[in-house]
Every structure is written in structure tokens, then in C-alpha cells.
């Protein structure tokens, strides 16, 4: 009999993605309390959490984390005037997952 070893995600990778999700939350909560709901910022925060749903698929987890990191770097620079620069640390954390 042969036991197939399943590739797994390192706990540090999962922790980094979790930190990337949590990093912008304090600012988003303050925005929510002060000026209503900035839907674009919350939608971006939701996209950052997508790799957490791929925990069972390590190859998909890393691929999605890298793709979202690249998009967040661009979004951070394009959306800097709208305050989206707060997602830049999340992008760096997602890049560390790779």
C-alpha cells in the first residue's frame, strides 16, 4: 500500500495571508464609523481574503495570493488619491507568501 502525502500550506504562509486581511481593518472600521460605507475599500478587503478559502489547495493558494498581491500593488498606486494606499502593506505581506 502506498500513502499519498498531501502537499500542505506552511503555517507561516497562512498566517501571512491572515495578517494581510487584518492589516487594513482598523482603518476601514474608522472609515465606516466616520463617513458611511466606502464600498470600494470593503470590496478590496474582501478580495484580499480569497486565498484563505483555498487552504485545501496549496498550489491554488500560492497562485491566488501572488495574483492578488500583484493587483494590490497596482491598485495601491492607482488608488492612492482615494486612500487605497492602505492596502500596500497587505500586498507586501501576500508577496511574502510566495
Amino acid at each position: 500500500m502506498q500513502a499519498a502525502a498531501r502537499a500542505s500550506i506552511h503555517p507561516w504562509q497562512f498566517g501571512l495571508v491572515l495578517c494581510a486581511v487584518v492589516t487594513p481593518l482598523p482603518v476601514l472600521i474608522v472609515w465606516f464609523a466616520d463617513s458611511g460605507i466606502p464600498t470600494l475599500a470593503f470590496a478590496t478587503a474582501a478580495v484580499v481574503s480569497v486565498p484563505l478559502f483555498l487552504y485545501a489547495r496549496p498550489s491554488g493558494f500560492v497562485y491566488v495570493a501572488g495574483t492578488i498581491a500583484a493587483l494590490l500593488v497596482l491598485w495601491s498606486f492607482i488608488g492612492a488619491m482615494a486612500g487605497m494606499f492602505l492596502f500596500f502593506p497587505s500586498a507586501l505581506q501576500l508577496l511574502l507568501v510566495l
Side-chain angles (χ1 to χ4, degrees):
M1 272 198 202
Q2 193 174 9
R6 189 178 111 189
S8 64
I9 295 168
H10 195 276
W12 279 99
Q13 289 177 306
F14 187 79
L16 283 168
V17 172
L18 197 57
C19 286
V21 171
V22 173
T23 298
L25 288 182
V27 176
L28 292 176
I29 290 169
V30 170
W31 279 0
F32 180 76
D34 287 345
S35 64
I37 301 173
T39 55
L40 201 54
F42 278 105
T44 303
V47 169
V48 174
S49 69
V50 169
L52 295 176
F53 297 108
L54 297 172
Y55 185 72
R57 294 185 51 212
S59 61
F61 179 87
V62 173
Y63 177 75
V64 169
T67 303
I68 291 173
L71 293 173
L72 278 178
V73 168
L74 291 173
W75 182 235
S76 294
F77 291 119
I78 293 169
M81 297 306 286
M84 291 297 135
F85 57 87
L86 71 103
F87 288 103
F88 190 70
S90 293
L92 295 178
Q93 290 166 342
L94 286 173
L95 285 173
L96 288 174
V97 170
L98 306 177

